Amino acid sequence: MKKLLLAGAAALGLALGAPGAQAAAIGATASNNSVIGVVEGWFGSSWFLIAGAATTIDVYHLGVEAGASNSFSLNATTFGPYSNNAGSGLSSLFGGSVAPQLVGNSLTLPGLLSFAFSTSFGGGASVTNASNPLPPNTPNFFASVTTCGANIASCVFDTTIDGITPDVGNTLLLALDDGGGGRVPDDNHDDLVMVIKINNGQIRIPEPASMAMLGMGLLGLGFAARRRRG
């Protein structure tokens, strides 16, 4: 129960201490993205796991087109580095022939997801889930969220560019702009594309009120349990 109380306090702290959680701009990847094509989603976003307990997150590599060596990390486990100047091709999730590659998984606690991209471009830099600048600042990542079935092949992301896109689901696409290429930034977000998929719970850009309610709910359960024991 002590763990439950701590989880509630942590969630409440995140809700009250992360006013930038909603600081995201809706938009679309550039049309020359060689891995996912045109997808609608979020720039400048931070993403949270909303769940009742730790849950397993599967990590998939979708593709890359980058001269730099780029990596993705989740909970201090690094995947990569990946680099491919010619490009790995269009993902099968977006009508291409390149199948997603399951590269690992990680047991993850509820709260702000601990992931980051790093790049060798410009002498080395990184962008984290907690600090994702809007373009043209680089590096940055683009995100699109959807809800999928058990098989990742069932995933359908938002390719309708209409200014309306989900902010919650069980599967999150993350696409890096490392700042390199012929333009600076190249701004097509195909320098490394990853997908993370959870077994239960939600991945979302949370409303601060939702996080506060989650924290207070967990704290309430903890206090009730302590009263029963007393």
Side-chain angles (χ1 to χ4, degrees):
M1 187 52 62
K2 183 178 180 181
K3 290 182 179 178
L4 183 61
L5 286 169
L6 289 173
L12 182 58
L14 283 169
L16 299 178
Q22 285 283 11
I26 193 170
T29 57
S31 59
N32 61 341
N33 188 302
S34 65
V35 178
I36 58 176
V38 180
V39 180
E40 191 161 56
W42 302 91
F43 295 96
S45 53
S46 295
W47 295 87
F48 287 73
L49 171 62
I50 310 298
T55 186
T56 298
I57 293 182
D58 293 327
V59 181
Y60 293 85
H61 175 230
L62 258 59
V64 61
E65 183 182 35
S69 293
N70 298 326
S71 301
F72 177 78
S73 63
L74 174 67
N75 299 330
T77 298
T78 299
F79 304 93
Y82 302 95
S83 62
N84 187 342
N85 260 322
S88 53
L90 189 67
S91 169
S92 59
L93 298 183
F94 298 90
S97 60
V98 180
Q101 295 181 322
L102 178 64
V103 294
N105 55 61
S106 179
L107 188 66
T108 304
L109 292 170
L112 181 71
L113 288 166
S114 180
F115 66 77
F117 286 98
S118 60
T119 177
S120 66
F121 180 76
S126 63
V127 54
T128 71
N129 182 35
S131 181
N132 180 27
L134 289 170
N137 301 292
T138 56
N140 68 72
F141 67 82
F142 167 87
S144 187
V145 67
T146 191
T147 299
C148 307
N151 191 328
I152 192 173
S154 69
C155 291
V156 178
F157 288 92
D158 182 8
T159 57
T160 302
I161 310 305
D162 57 5
I164 302 171
T165 196
D167 62 0
V168 60
N170 66 4
T171 305
L172 182 65
L173 181 149
L174 299 164
L176 173 69
D177 176 6
D178 63 15
R183 295 177 289 155
V184 180
D186 58 359
D187 204 28
N188 55 8
H189 292 84
D190 59 6
D191 296 316
L192 178 56
V193 183
M194 308 293 289
V195 164
I196 59 175
K197 186 175 186 295
I198 61 174
N199 292 337
N200 55 70
Q202 294 181 332
I203 298 173
R204 68 177 304 155
I205 307 175
E207 298 175 2
S210 298
M211 290 299 291
M213 288 179 65
L214 171 65
M216 293 303 293
L218 290 172
L219 286 172
L221 287 173
F223 290 135
R226 289 182 67 182
R227 290 185 65 184
R228 284 197 299 270
R229 287 204 305 270

